[in-house]
Amino acid sequence: MSYVLIHGAGFGANCWDELLPHLNAEAVAVDLPGRGRRSDVELGTVTLSDCANAVREDVEAKDLQDVVLVGHSFAGVTVPRVLDLIPQRIRQVVLVSAVVPPDGTRVLDQIDPGVRELVEQSIAGGVYHQTREGAAALLCNDMDDPTATSTLDRLTDDAAALLSETVNLNGYRRDIPRTYVHLTQDQCYVEELQQRSIAQLRPDVVDLDTGHMAMISAPGRLAAILNAVHG
């Protein structure tokens, strides 16, 4: 049994660094195309299918079985594509404040209007760029200064496809158990939107009193939830 961790927009696999030592099984943190180990891929060309295939490649490279698939934030639109590619390898899905818009819509159509305007202004040439100041307000509200600095130092540009491509949620129709970790202090994917995602999925729900980057601000507490799911 193992964990496979999928980061959200604006980060790579290293956003999970604080969490990994707390997990009770092997864990693979995936770099989606355009960052980290896959930084040779041009971000402006990346699609949601490319993201799902990157996860599949990492799972198959290690021949992982009985996987607890963990998706954070915008990984909520990559996860169902992974479920369609390798359903036989996935035992459980955990979504951490994950974006799950209605099937056939775009992530941009569903996020908070105030946040959406900032995001749209941050897209050019197929690339999504977050400013350090904007990310600090949305992502670091529950962090002390050193932790916030460490988080912001890991920011990276991202593929606009995560936000602007029409989503395909067919994989969520598969009979694979799922848990949603509801982050009660989240200023990025706010309460109303988390509740919309929960209503779409009808998962088990676990509350965690943190901001959006719980794997950095409260790695031990998030790991305890994942370890309980893993069993």
Side-chain angles (χ1 to χ4, degrees):
M1 295 181 286
S2 55
Y3 298 98
V4 173
L5 311 172
I6 311 174
H7 61 79
F11 288 91
N14 63 356
C15 76
W16 301 102
D17 285 355
E18 286 85 349
L19 179 81
L20 292 174
H22 297 277
L23 296 176
N24 63 4
E26 177 185 14
V28 174
V30 177
D31 274 311
L32 296 181
R35 76 227 68 199
R37 294 183 299 104
R38 292 185 169 93
S39 59
D40 59 322
V41 178
E42 185 181 343
L43 278 172
T45 69
V46 173
T47 66
L48 291 175
S49 290
D50 294 333
C51 293
N53 276 312
V55 179
R56 176 188 57 78
E57 289 169 7
D58 284 2
V59 170
E60 292 180 346
K62 289 184 171 288
D63 194 24
L64 301 178
Q65 307 290 336
D66 278 343
V67 168
V68 177
L69 187 65
V70 182
H72 174 244
S73 191
F74 288 150
V77 296
T78 296
V79 165
R81 293 171 183 259
V82 176
L83 298 180
D84 272 342
L85 289 174
I86 49 171
Q88 72 284 358
R89 294 180 183 266
I90 310 300
R91 181 165 69 102
Q92 175 90 25
V93 172
V94 180
L95 298 162
V96 182
S97 194
V99 179
V100 186
D103 200 10
T105 68
R106 305 178 307 159
V107 169
L108 272 175
D109 298 329
Q110 307 304 318
I111 60 179
D112 180 79
V115 175
R116 182 171 65 238
E117 183 177 352
L118 293 173
V119 170
E120 288 176 326
Q121 292 170 1
S122 302
I123 292 176
V127 175
Y128 170 49
H129 172 76
Q130 296 182 78
T131 67
R132 194 175 178 95
E133 295 75 19
L138 294 175
L139 305 178
C140 303
N141 57 295
D142 65 331
M143 299 178 185
D144 59 24
D145 287 344
T147 305
T149 297
S150 174
T151 300
L152 296 172
D153 285 347
R154 283 175 262 188
L155 273 179
T156 183
D157 287 345
D158 215 320
L162 293 172
L163 305 163
S164 57
E165 188 179 328
T166 299
V167 304
N168 181 338
L169 303 185
N170 284 339
Y172 284 134
R173 297 187 176 95
R174 294 183 178 273
D175 188 23
I176 297 174
R178 50 195 178 229
T179 298
Y180 195 98
V181 182
H182 165 231
L183 304 181
T184 62
Q185 295 186 47
D186 199 329
Q187 298 298 308
C188 180
Y189 200 52
V190 296
E191 177 69 19
E192 177 186 357
L193 299 178
Q194 287 188 73
Q195 292 302 329
R196 287 186 196 175
S197 290
I198 290 167
Q200 286 266 12
L201 295 172
R202 290 180 286 182
D204 295 332
V205 178
V206 180
D207 292 340
L208 184 59
D209 188 27
T210 71
H212 192 66
M213 301 299 293
M215 70 286 289
I216 297 175
S217 65
R221 287 190 285 151
L222 178 57
I225 293 170
L226 298 180
N227 289 335
V229 167
H230 188 282

